Amino acid sequence: MLADALGRPLCFVVTAGQVGDVTQAPALLAGQEGAAVIADKAYDSNALRALIAQMGAEAVIPCNPTRKIIISHDAIAYRIRNRIERCFNRLKHFRRFATRYDRRTIHFLGFVHLASAMIWMT
């Protein structure tokens, strides 16, 4: 999921449980603009950092502990990453989202869009 600076959902990609999040990052960032992309350690990859640089944005991503060459990040800017966590928390207030009652992906994604629209209206 991609969220804006106010913690409102912008874009979603539903994947299987075993798929890594970093593989879907280019699809989420396609067509987006911004001064910075803030993500957690799971998104630490050279390919994603290059994509963010092509967008003209700053990558605020802490390094994975296994990385040999440490790349510094802006720790003060990283503090606002909790807004995506707040966005997930708001979505989890909808029981249907939190428990994933829908068996079909299309139904689940439809409800995610509905819940997101409700978040944008508040």
Side-chain angles (χ1 to χ4, degrees):
M1 180 169 57
L2 181 69
D4 66 359
L6 298 175
R8 298 176 300 196
L10 293 176
C11 186
F12 311 96
V13 175
V14 179
T15 61
Q18 69 273 15
V19 176
D21 293 337
V22 73
T23 60
Q24 300 304 314
L28 289 172
L29 293 175
Q32 300 293 328
E33 295 178 2
V37 175
I38 303 171
D40 63 359
K41 292 178 185 178
Y43 291 89
D44 181 28
S45 75
N46 292 333
L48 181 60
R49 288 180 187 270
L51 178 69
I52 294 169
Q54 285 178 353
M55 291 174 44
E58 177 188 1
V60 183
I61 305 171
C63 287
N64 191 334
T66 59
R67 185 182 274 272
K68 291 182 181 179
I69 300 171
I70 303 299
I71 301 171
S72 64
H73 69 283
D74 186 0
I76 295 170
Y78 185 71
R79 288 182 190 173
I80 64 171
R81 192 190 70 81
N82 70 1
R83 293 181 184 169
I84 186 78
E85 302 299 334
R86 290 179 189 179
C87 181
F88 273 111
N89 190 22
R90 280 190 222 125
L91 285 169
K92 286 182 181 180
H93 283 258
F94 298 94
R95 186 174 179 195
R96 186 172 170 181
F97 177 87
T99 56
R100 181 88 194 256
Y101 284 139
D102 299 313
R103 292 181 184 229
R104 297 190 65 200
T105 304
I106 192 75
H107 296 157
F108 178 72
L109 191 58
F111 182 75
V112 169
H113 283 99
L114 176 65
S116 297
M118 293 176 73
I119 288 172
W120 270 85
M121 288 190 291
T122 58

